[in-house]
Amino acid sequence: MTTATPSEPGVPAEGVDAVDALVRFCPPPADPPPAVDWEGTERALGVALPADYKRLVETYGDGVFDGTIWLLVPGSAYQDCDLRLRTAERDEDLAYLWEAGEAKPAELLEAGARVLPWAFEEGTGAFLYWLVRPGQHPDEWTVLYNEGRGPMWEHHATGCAAFVLAVLDATARTRYFGHLHEVSKPTEHRFEPAADTLGAARP
């Protein structure tokens, strides 16, 4: 396991202000997404969720930013985008890898620390997680990126909404998302709802 160079340390989670900035930078769908059962979701996960994530979901819904970052949403009609389903899947997959000998990232060596996925990267197998530390308020959770098909983890001392914004505007200090900026080089940023990208969900 190797942990890549992180973003600037000690930067607090920016909270819902980052969502407002993201909305100006990357317009959300005109139609509001379906309501989410936050109480039931948090009860099932066993943790409360960050306010900026709730704002992201309530503003954008399930879908993909710039064809790259897929937002996971509780109760999504699409299995790949369902927060609870992907959480169970990632818990199982990571447990298998660690039991097989792959080392955990340094951030997870603290007793009681865990990860919780909130997004994935198109076509790479990579996931974006919250670093959930014992006793820490959800609005203080930071971001861990795992490349998915290898052992690299990358820590970013920021909240999820601020991280999405930083990736889109090319200010994130990251070894990843090179395709977005080196190949695609978007001049206008877009969010595509899952229904527009994936078609009608199966009943």
Side-chain angles (χ1 to χ4, degrees), residues 12-202:
E14 289 81 355
V16 296
D17 288 347
V19 181
D20 295 333
L22 186 60
V23 165
R24 294 190 294 270
F25 193 73
C26 181
D31 296 327
V36 171
D37 176 11
W38 292 116
E39 183 177 349
T41 296
E42 292 174 331
R43 185 169 54 248
L45 294 174
V47 292
L49 294 171
D52 64 337
Y53 169 72
K54 292 180 180 179
R55 281 280 307 278
L56 272 180
V57 169
E58 291 167 353
T59 302
Y60 289 95
D62 51 8
V64 59
F65 292 93
D66 279 0
T68 301
I69 298 178
W70 283 88
L71 185 63
L72 301 181
V73 170
S76 172
Y78 302 88
Q79 291 187 359
D80 283 352
C81 296
D82 187 274
L83 177 71
R84 289 168 59 177
L85 290 176
R86 298 316 294 267
T87 296
E89 170 194 285
R90 298 313 302 156
D91 283 349
E92 182 177 338
D93 289 350
L94 289 173
Y96 172 80
L97 289 173
W98 292 331
E99 289 173 6
E102 184 172 304
K104 293 183 178 181
E107 292 80 8
L108 292 182
L109 298 181
E110 177 184 7
R114 58 176 288 206
V115 290
L116 185 66
W118 58 271
F120 65 92
E121 185 182 5
E122 169 68 23
T124 67
F127 273 81
L128 287 160
Y129 298 91
W130 288 292
L131 171 59
V132 181
R133 300 179 61 201
Q136 189 175 51
H137 191 279
D139 291 346
E140 298 176 328
W141 291 351
T142 53
V143 171
L144 276 172
Y145 174 99
N146 176 235
E147 62 180 342
R149 295 171 184 161
M152 288 288 291
W153 290 77
E154 188 178 74
H155 181 234
H156 295 268
T158 187
C160 63
F163 182 78
V164 172
L165 179 62
V167 169
L168 267 56
D169 72 7
T171 60
R173 293 180 58 193
T174 175
R175 297 182 182 182
Y176 303 98
F177 302 102
H179 178 83
L180 179 60
H181 301 296
E182 296 166 13
V183 179
S184 300
K185 298 180 180 179
T187 55
E188 295 183 358
H189 299 275
R190 69 194 189 283
F191 178 85
E192 297 172 271
D196 292 353
T197 302
L198 303 176
R202 293 180 179 178

